[in-house]
């Protein structure tokens, strides 16, 4: 069975602060994919990143960075110099190929100006 | 714009009724996923279709059913509706079978009164 845990329900930061959103996963698959999605107040979920289980390289995209550690089954997401537009609910997700894509419960991020 | 179209955007109905939610995937995508999002349950995977065939089933109630048609659009049928079925129902599409990123529609907000 697959499981994704996002222990942080809500986080509030002041603009320009860095913030890390945690994601811990469980799977028996040897090949799997991890994702982060953003759900802004408008409601539509937007894809941010995909990482496969064989690629443990960290990734940076502008102010966003992701740290994948297989040893701890974690795929954490850091926003550097947060902005008000980053306010959203962020979901971590896990897929095992032909199986369902399992989402975590989400972390609501509020960036205060 | 993700390219995934969901109709209707809002639906208000009464307990015991039956409704149909419709989803048109992105052009070229063969996979369609349905998710239910409620405040207390988060994003719950319901069902996944690939090129007309059911691929995976999640926590979908027996009162709910879905299908994917030859033109690849999908419908989610909810019957004998209960108050607890009130939620945001998302459809997502992808090109393959779970390891690609999902493109989400804007959702159908169902309110059962």
């Amino acid at each position: 069975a697959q499981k994704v845990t996002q222990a942080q329900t809500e986080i509030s930061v002041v603009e320009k602060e860095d913030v890390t959103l945690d994601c811990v996963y469980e799977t028996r698959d040897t090949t799997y994919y991890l994702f982060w999605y953003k759900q802004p107040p408008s409601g539509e979920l937007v894809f941010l990143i995909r990482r496969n289980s064989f690629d443990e390289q960290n990734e940076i995209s502008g102010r966003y960075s992701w740290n994948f550690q297989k040893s701890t089954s974690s795929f954490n997401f850091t926003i550097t110099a947060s902005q008000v537009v980053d306010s959203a609910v962020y979901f971590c997700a896990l897929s095992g190929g032909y199986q369902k894509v399992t989402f975590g419960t989400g972390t609501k991020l509020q960036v205060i100006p | 714009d993700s390219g995934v179209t969901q109709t209707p955007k809002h639906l208000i109905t009464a307990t015991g009724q039956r409704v149909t939610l419709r989803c048109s995937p992105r052009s070229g995508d063969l996979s369609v996923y349905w998710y239910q999002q409620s405040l207390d349950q988060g994003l719950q995977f319901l069902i996944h279709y690939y090129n007309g065939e059911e691929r995976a089933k999640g926590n979908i109630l027996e009162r709910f059913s879905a299908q994917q048609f030859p033109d690849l659009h999908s419908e989610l049928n909810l019957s004998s509706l209960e108050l607890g079925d009130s939620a945001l129902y998302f459809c997502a599409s992808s090109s393959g079978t779970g390891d690609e990123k999902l493109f989400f529609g804007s959702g159908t907000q169902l309110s059962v009164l």
Side-chain angles (χ1 to χ4, degrees), chain A residues 23-35:
Chain A
C23 173
V24 174
Y25 64 92
E26 295 175 29
T27 181
R28 294 178 184 169
D29 294 317
T30 53
T31 301
Y32 52 89
Y33 297 84
L34 295 162
F35 307 81

Side-chain angles (χ1 to χ4, degrees), chain A residues 33 35 37 39 43-45 47 50 91 95 97-103, chain B residues 2 33 35 37 43 45 55-56 90 97-102 104-106:
Chain A
Y33 297 84
F35 307 81
Y37 287 84
Q39 186 177 33
E44 194 166 318
L45 284 108
F47 167 85
R50 181 190 79 166
F91 291 93
S95 167
Y98 282 88
Q99 298 177 23
K100 61 184 181 181
V101 180
T102 300
F103 283 78
Chain B
S2 67
Y33 299 77
Y35 285 86
Q37 186 177 30
L43 262 173
F45 168 74
R55 282 290 191 187
F90 282 107
T97 54
D99 53 353
E100 297 88 5
K101 61 184 180 181
L102 300 181
F104 281 82
S106 55

